[in-house]
Amino acid sequence: TLAIIAQRPASLRLEAIPVIGLPNFFLSVRQEKLAVYLPQSGEYYSGRATPENLARFSPVPLSAAELAALLTGCRPDPPAAASPVTIRGYRKEKSYRLEIFSSTQERLQSLWIDPGSGNLTRFAREEREGTQALNAYFEDHGNIDGYALPRRIRLQSPGENPYSIELYYEHVTLEAASAATDGLFALPAPAGAKMVPLD
């Protein structure tokens, strides 16, 4: 079981909870800083929240901003260097598809939207020459406090290091951002922890 707290643009908190006992893995991203605590070994890792550092503890080599968006059923923003962008839309099978292009007409992202509900059902991030680097599928949407959020999320990458993971949310709540919720992403080093720098 994994407890997940996500707040856009790039705050995360993950806790792995075994069937019996206390959480045995803590990961936090706050203000572009990554902290990881492994209670069994007593190790506390800290450093910049780069995709490379995150990939050391996650099977998904994505940035914190990409993870925060995808875990909440949203599309990540295209790279700032790619703007201005062009958006083209058309109907494809049972979905409405939007394609987002850079100023050099390189396709950056593709979105599939359910015309009936307006829900985002699929996201693809493109690499050069049209290769899809990441596919995300959002399914089983439920109404949570007036927002349609997916209960099932699948992330797949056919790249050099392929991966496929699936998340199913048993329980979802929404909280308004505040100083109190910001504190949820703090992960200070416990007393006596072995400090391990990541950078």
Side-chain angles (χ1 to χ4, degrees):
T1 301
L2 186 66
I4 300 173
I5 304 174
Q7 179 178 300
R8 299 189 71 183
S11 294
L12 294 169
R13 172 88 178 219
L14 308 179
E15 296 184 11
I17 304 172
V19 176
I20 299 175
L22 299 173
N24 55 18
F25 171 83
F26 297 85
L27 181 148
S28 171
V29 176
R30 182 181 183 220
Q31 298 175 354
E32 301 182 3
K33 300 293 183 183
L34 171 65
V36 176
Y37 177 55
L38 307 179
Q40 292 179 336
S41 63
E43 296 173 322
Y44 180 89
Y45 297 81
S46 62
R48 294 174 299 132
T50 62
E52 294 76 18
N53 281 341
L54 279 162
R56 297 172 69 169
F57 306 97
S58 166
V60 184
L62 300 173
S63 70
E66 289 173 316
L67 282 171
L70 294 171
L71 290 173
T72 54
C74 300
R75 73 167 181 91
D77 292 331
S83 59
V85 297
T86 301
I87 300 176
R88 299 175 190 159
Y90 56 92
R91 189 74 179 253
K92 184 171 184 181
E93 298 175 354
K94 296 182 179 180
S95 297
Y96 190 76
R97 182 171 175 180
L98 294 177
E99 295 184 332
I100 301 173
F101 294 83
S102 71
S103 57
T104 59
Q105 296 306 302
E106 177 185 355
R107 186 167 56 202
L108 303 172
Q109 297 179 345
S110 294
L111 313 176
W112 286 258
I113 298 169
D114 181 340
S117 64
N119 294 334
L120 177 64
T121 59
R122 182 180 170 192
F123 164 84
R125 189 184 74 205
E126 310 281 340
E127 293 290 2
R128 294 190 180 278
E129 300 178 357
T131 303
Q132 290 190 352
L134 171 68
N135 282 290
Y137 300 85
F138 306 105
E139 302 167 345
D140 191 17
H141 287 78
N143 189 309
I144 311 296
D145 296 336
Y147 294 90
L149 295 175
R151 295 189 184 93
R152 184 182 181 204
I153 298 173
R154 293 182 291 134
L155 304 178
Q156 298 174 345
S157 174
E160 294 181 2
N161 299 304
Y163 61 82
S164 177
I165 67 167
E166 182 174 324
L167 299 171
Y168 186 81
Y169 291 124
E170 293 182 359
H171 183 69
V172 179
T173 60
L174 292 176
E175 298 285 343
S178 66
T181 58
D182 183 63
L184 295 173
F185 301 101
L187 183 61
K194 179 183 177 182
M195 308 299 288
V196 183
L198 292 170
D199 302 314

